[in-house]
Amino acid sequence: MKKKSLDELHAIRKNKKSEIDLRTGKKGYRVVVGMATCGIAAGARPVMQTLIEEIEANHLTDVTLAQTGCIGVCRLEPLVEVYDPEGKKVTYVHMNPEKAKKLVKEHLMGNKVVAEYTMEIIDGKVIDPVIK
Amino acid sequence: MAFYRSQVLLCGGTGCTSSGSTKLTEILKDELVKHDLENEIEVVVTGCFGLCELGPVVIIYPEGTFYSRVKESDIKELVEEHLIKGRPVERLVYSEGKGDEKTLSLNELGFYKKQRRIVLENCGVINPEDIDEYLAFDGYMALEKVLKTMQPQEVIDTVKASGLRGRGGGGFPTGLKWQFTHNATCEDGVKYVVCNADEGDPGAFMDRSVLEGDPHKIIESMTIAGYAVGAHKGYVYVRAEYPIAVQRLGIAINQARNYGLIGENIFDSGFDFDLEIRLGAGAFVCGEETALMHSIEGKRGEPRPRPPFPANRGLFDRPTCENNVETFANIPTIIRKGADWFASVGTEKSKGTKVFALGGKINNTGLLEIPMGTTLREIVYEIGGGIPNGKKFKAAQTGGPSGGCIPESMLDLEIDYDNLTAVGAMMGSGGLIVMDEDNCMVDVARFFLDFTQDESCGKCPPCRIGTKRMLEILERICDGKGEEGDIERLEELAHSIKESALCGLGKTAPNPVLSTIKYFRDEYEAHIKEKRCPAGVCKHLLQYHINPDTCKGCGICARKCPADAISGEKKKPYVIDTEKCIKCGACIEACPFGVITRG
């Protein structure tokens, strides 16, 4: 192998660092996908798959992607929750791969909540966004 | 660049490897493939996390969930529950003590809270077989800084100012050692850097863990040392009994060479440096610097008188800078963060941290790194988690066969080089063995002397003959044949060996005896005068006795006794014939009423 130049070494360091940040904590969004039995049955796996692909394709090295158990509103699965660095969260319901792509583009990259995929609460009842 | 949503870290240190982590890794990879997760979840084999007692250890990120004692049959559940559904497998999560809440994250463990990791910063964090990971954790930045912006003398001045002292045992200031080697001259101008990885103290594995968990740190550090002292060739002398360390170091050296981090004209600075591994064949004395150098030269591993010191005439009669693994492991951080930063950690005369291998009667057997000045009490009770089975602390032994015992009255001693020497123990390379009320101090002294006697190279008479005579006296005492004046004879022999032995092995061999006599003289006296072993360890001094008042006369003990030493009539107290008794203890175990005692 050819000897690496200093610049090349710096590049390796930078790239690998962002990859490893998983172990040291990141500063950006934290995306959590509900992956309990209900989530998986409702199609959470393709959503997770899409999120991984999109995050990787767009080099969103600051984003943490994690899975979680049942959140309790199984009928709204697949659920995806996005935490901002301050810990505030937005819950997206009835997700699918197409919606996941839009979530990445608008929310994670554009810092804009995709309101149409969130829940709406009227008189204390969660209104299903699909029927809405 | 690949994006993984989760990383599973498995410990590949010697401790966890022997409890089966290699097989776990294979099974985990198979399971991931089965669930089509291999592109989502990365498996990373790392160096020692330090909690060897709980191995094999598995950590899952980004949550940082800490699983202990993971078995092959657990992997399927880990994958299906944690990795697919995101539910930590509670029963495998490590909990501190009974009834405690399970601890989900590594940093919450009491074991890690009091620690300060400088030497071990990357151990258990990076994959030691991937140079890119080391680079990502600021690896080789110190080397770049040194070669690009510093003169050799500046490097030496930085190491001096940091206050770093040799971690192999003696505690000699590292900067001074480098200065002497830098100043030394020889006809052809050749000098060497040697890393001493011949870790031989029973129970010590600090250096092994660094080499296994972070081998690039040693390569970077030795290259820096080479630049500072003017050497172009380095040797790592490592025991052949450390196969994983040897393998990972070999991989690391090849990677560094491929990247041009060692070899010719490093970073276009004009500086050349290369490294070679030499294997030791397991002689304890080869950890002594002059014996080690003889061994590298292919000669018999025997020490020689000093001076001349290796800094002036060392390997192949050339000026040689020889340091221990842990000493080297401090260098890159000192260069990167500065001497003042390093000097701010620790006590006035002992700077930085020290790695200890904690063992013996302690709950958290493992590897820990503490700032100098931490008390023994904090190590034993907070980091070590106390003594198992509610037993009472008796003493801690530091420095292995060269060190001494610290009694309970000194639990609040702040650990640093000078305090330990002052109480008759020593820092040594970092073995720390905890003993409880069931340990006999005479037997402990006998054990260590047996070791040094066995490992004595035989070159100088004080060590060869003197330790043999001491061992004979100790064995006599343990056998119940001790005589008046034995303690004084031991002390006299010890002092003359300390003064006249050729090398460190002999000079320090009497230390375990002297320090146990100093703090536990009453135990020696009980052995000699009363022919009694207070801790109940020395077999020849034990007497078994049936309490005639409480014995129910069931006769079970007589039936279990393999030597037919117990006799009696049913419903009447039984009696042990101490002449026939072989002190096996079968009767104590058999007695349903607990009326048989040993003492």
Side-chain angles (χ1 to χ4, degrees):
Chain A
M1 196 194 291
K2 199 189 151 281
K3 208 167 133 173
K4 294 267 186 288
S5 75
L6 266 180
D7 289 340
E8 282 170 310
L9 282 177
H10 292 164
I12 292 174
R13 181 175 292 144
K14 196 164 156 270
N15 278 336
K16 195 77 186 179
K17 207 170 202 156
S18 47
E19 201 177 308
I20 278 175
D21 274 343
L22 197 51
R23 276 170 251 169
T24 49
K26 298 184 191 186
K27 290 157 206 78
Y29 287 111
R30 180 181 160 84
V31 183
V32 180
V33 184
M35 296 275 270
T37 308
C38 51
I40 295 170
R45 286 214 47 81
V47 172
M48 174 64 100
Q49 202 62 49
T50 310
L51 286 171
I52 290 173
E53 283 161 13
E54 288 298 305
I55 289 170
E56 185 178 338
N58 292 300
H59 304 288
L60 302 182
T61 51
D62 260 1
V63 173
T64 313
L65 184 57
Q67 83 284 53
T68 187
C70 178
I71 304 173
V73 278
C74 311
R75 64 190 175 93
L76 300 177
E77 295 278 4
L79 272 167
V80 175
E81 298 195 306
V82 179
Y83 292 79
D84 68 14
E86 280 83 49
K88 273 193 265 169
K89 76 171 179 186
V90 175
T91 305
Y92 293 104
V93 297
H94 285 309
M95 294 298 284
N96 63 30
E98 281 311 305
K99 292 179 179 178
K101 275 186 194 163
K102 194 166 170 187
L103 183 154
V104 171
K105 195 154 274 150
E106 295 196 4
H107 195 154
L108 302 186
M109 298 168 73
N111 298 317
K112 216 176 88 218
V113 176
V114 195
E116 57 184 300
Y117 301 157
T118 59
M119 295 172 286
E120 192 177 338
I121 298 174
I122 298 173
D123 286 346
K125 279 186 185 164
V126 181
I127 300 301
D128 197 316
V130 180
I131 334 171
K132 174 168 79 172
Chain B
M1 166 201 116
F3 176 86
Y4 293 99
R5 69 173 168 89
S6 179
Q7 280 170 323
V8 182
L9 273 65
L10 286 107
C11 177
T14 293
C16 287
T17 300
S18 49
S19 53
S21 69
T22 316
K23 185 82 186 156
L24 286 189
T25 312
E26 282 171 31
I27 298 175
L28 175 65
K29 284 186 174 160
D30 288 349
E31 278 295 320
L32 290 180
V33 171
K34 223 182 276 173
H35 288 93
D36 217 12
L37 288 168
E38 74 267 30
N39 297 322
E40 278 177 41
I41 289 161
E42 189 180 20
V43 178
V44 185
V45 177
T46 70
C48 183
F49 291 106
L51 264 174
C52 312
E53 173 75 18
L54 300 169
V57 169
V58 174
I59 299 184
I60 299 184
Y61 285 98
E63 298 91 340
T65 310
F66 187 89
Y67 292 111
S68 59
R69 294 207 181 101
V70 179
K71 290 188 289 297
E72 291 173 18
S73 51
D74 296 329
I75 293 290
K76 194 163 177 274
E77 189 177 349
L78 272 187
V79 171
E80 287 175 359
E81 283 295 307
H82 191 140
L83 295 177
I84 296 180
K85 296 181 190 154
R87 290 196 292 237
V89 183
E90 293 271 342
R91 68 178 176 86
L92 295 173
V93 173
Y94 172 63
S95 70
E96 289 180 297
K98 276 181 193 138
D100 276 16
E101 292 277 299
K102 298 267 184 178
T103 310
L104 285 178
S105 167
L106 198 58
N107 302 331
E108 293 166 21
L109 296 182
F111 180 74
Y112 289 103
K113 269 186 194 159
K114 283 254 163 181
Q115 295 196 42
R116 173 90 187 246
R117 297 197 148 205
I118 297 174
V119 169
L120 301 176
E121 59 182 354
N122 292 339
C123 285
V125 178
I126 67 169
N127 175 351
E129 294 181 11
D130 185 352
I131 187 172
D132 291 355
E133 291 211 359
Y134 180 67
L135 283 167
F137 279 84
D138 297 337
Y140 292 103
M141 260 168 69
L143 181 64
E144 185 185 332
K145 183 175 172 185
V146 162
L147 293 185
K148 286 291 181 190
T149 65
M150 294 169 88
Q151 292 299 312
Q153 186 59 48
E154 285 176 66
V155 179
I156 294 172
D157 290 340
T158 307
V159 177
K160 275 189 196 165
S162 73
L164 177 66
R165 293 169 66 174
R167 298 289 194 250
F172 190 80
T174 307
L176 269 186
K177 211 176 211 178
W178 288 24
Q179 186 73 65
F180 292 151
T181 319
H182 175 85
N183 294 351
T185 51
C186 69
E187 256 173 43
D188 57 5
V190 173
K191 295 182 186 179
Y192 295 103
V193 175
V194 172
C195 175
N196 184 346
D198 192 61
E199 188 173 47
D201 288 2
F205 53 93
M206 297 75 56
D207 298 346
R208 187 189 74 202
S209 294
V210 172
L211 287 177
E212 286 175 0
D214 202 7
H216 281 286
K217 196 166 240 169
I218 301 304
I219 298 172
E220 178 176 15
S221 183
M222 288 181 72
T223 314
I224 292 170
Y227 177 73
V229 304
H232 300 290
K233 174 98 194 172
Y235 289 93
V236 183
Y237 186 86
V238 52
R239 315 173 65 185
E241 293 99 319
Y242 283 179
I244 303 177
V246 172
Q247 184 201 6
R248 298 224 173 115
L249 185 65
I251 292 172
I253 289 176
N254 278 335
Q255 289 173 338
R257 213 175 267 147
N258 283 338
Y259 273 20
L261 296 164
I262 52 174
E264 286 175 12
N265 194 16
I266 303 167
F267 297 150
D268 298 321
S269 63
F271 174 68
D272 307 336
F273 190 80
D274 214 331
L275 274 176
E276 244 180 75
I277 301 176
R278 286 295 159 98
L279 298 187
F284 182 63
V285 72
C286 287
E288 197 280 338
E289 56 181 9
T290 58
L292 183 147
M293 287 166 193
H294 285 152
S295 178
I296 294 180
E297 290 169 12
K299 296 177 187 151
R300 192 175 170 143
E302 282 180 342
R304 63 159 172 79
R306 296 174 301 177
F309 284 94
N312 292 310
R313 273 179 51 201
L315 189 59
F316 301 112
D317 268 339
R318 305 300 199 293
T320 302
C321 172
E322 188 264 358
N323 284 120
N324 160 269
V325 171
E326 193 186 332
T327 316
F328 275 125
N330 278 291
I331 300 288
T333 321
I334 291 174
I335 300 286
R336 238 170 37 229
K337 297 195 176 173
D340 293 342
W341 172 85
F342 188 79
S344 69
V345 181
T347 63
E348 195 194 336
K349 285 187 177 162
S350 304
K351 300 300 185 192
T353 59
K354 181 76 192 84
V355 182
F356 283 101
L358 193 59
K361 305 284 180 65
I362 190 87
N363 276 320
N364 294 335
T365 302
L367 197 69
L368 53 104
E369 180 172 355
I370 43 140
M372 297 275 191
T374 305
T375 65
L376 191 56
R377 189 183 296 280
E378 288 172 294
I379 297 179
V380 173
Y381 288 101
E382 295 183 36
I383 301 171
I387 294 165
N389 307 322
K391 296 275 182 180
K392 202 164 158 277
F393 175 87
K394 188 183 227 173
Q397 212 275 355
T398 66
S402 311
C405 291
I406 308 168
E408 197 199 353
S409 59
M410 293 182 184
L411 262 178
D412 290 308
L413 183 81
E414 292 183 348
I415 304 280
D416 72 7
Y417 287 101
D418 309 290
N419 283 347
L420 284 177
T421 310
V423 301
M426 70 184 266
M427 183 69 86
S429 58
L432 187 70
I433 299 166
V434 179
M435 289 169 285
D436 69 6
E437 50 194 308
D438 291 343
N439 287 96
C440 166
M441 301 315 281
V442 183
D443 185 59
V444 167
R446 188 198 55 77
F447 168 81
F448 280 115
L449 210 66
D450 187 45
F451 177 84
T452 36
Q453 217 295 306
D454 203 36
E455 291 291 350
S456 170
C457 77
K459 185 170 178 176
C460 74
C463 182
R464 181 180 70 234
I465 307 168
T467 57
K468 178 76 181 164
R469 293 290 95 85
M470 283 182 77
L471 180 61
E472 284 168 0
I473 297 176
L474 284 167
E475 282 174 342
R476 209 167 65 209
I477 296 176
C478 289
D479 286 352
K481 297 178 190 138
E483 298 160 11
E484 278 293 326
D486 270 352
I487 299 180
E488 290 70 24
R489 262 189 291 278
L490 279 174
E491 285 177 326
E492 192 191 334
L493 270 168
H495 289 299
S496 49
I497 295 170
K498 271 173 87 89
E499 274 161 35
S500 55
L502 176 60
C503 80
L505 192 157
K507 280 186 211 295
T508 58
N511 283 352
V513 180
L514 285 175
S515 82
T516 46
I517 291 180
K518 186 173 172 190
Y519 297 116
F520 300 95
R521 201 183 181 100
D522 55 325
E523 283 196 32
Y524 279 85
E525 283 170 350
H527 280 76
I528 295 170
K529 291 182 185 154
E530 302 162 33
K531 308 289 180 219
R532 185 173 67 84
C533 175
V537 172
C538 299
K539 223 174 152 185
H540 291 276
L541 295 177
L542 291 182
Q543 295 280 340
Y544 284 75
H545 181 70
I546 299 175
N547 186 340
D549 301 330
T550 47
C551 178
K552 311 257 185 224
C554 67
I556 290 180
C557 57
R559 284 204 298 277
K560 290 278 178 188
C561 178
D564 284 331
I566 305 179
S567 56
E569 274 177 57
K570 287 261 173 189
K571 305 230 167 133
K572 285 187 182 161
Y574 278 66
V575 182
I576 300 175
D577 180 350
T578 47
E579 289 294 305
K580 279 190 188 166
C581 174
I582 55 164
K583 289 143 187 170
C584 65
C587 52
I588 292 193
E589 278 171 37
C591 178
F593 309 105
V595 304
I596 304 176
T597 51
R598 164 167 53 194

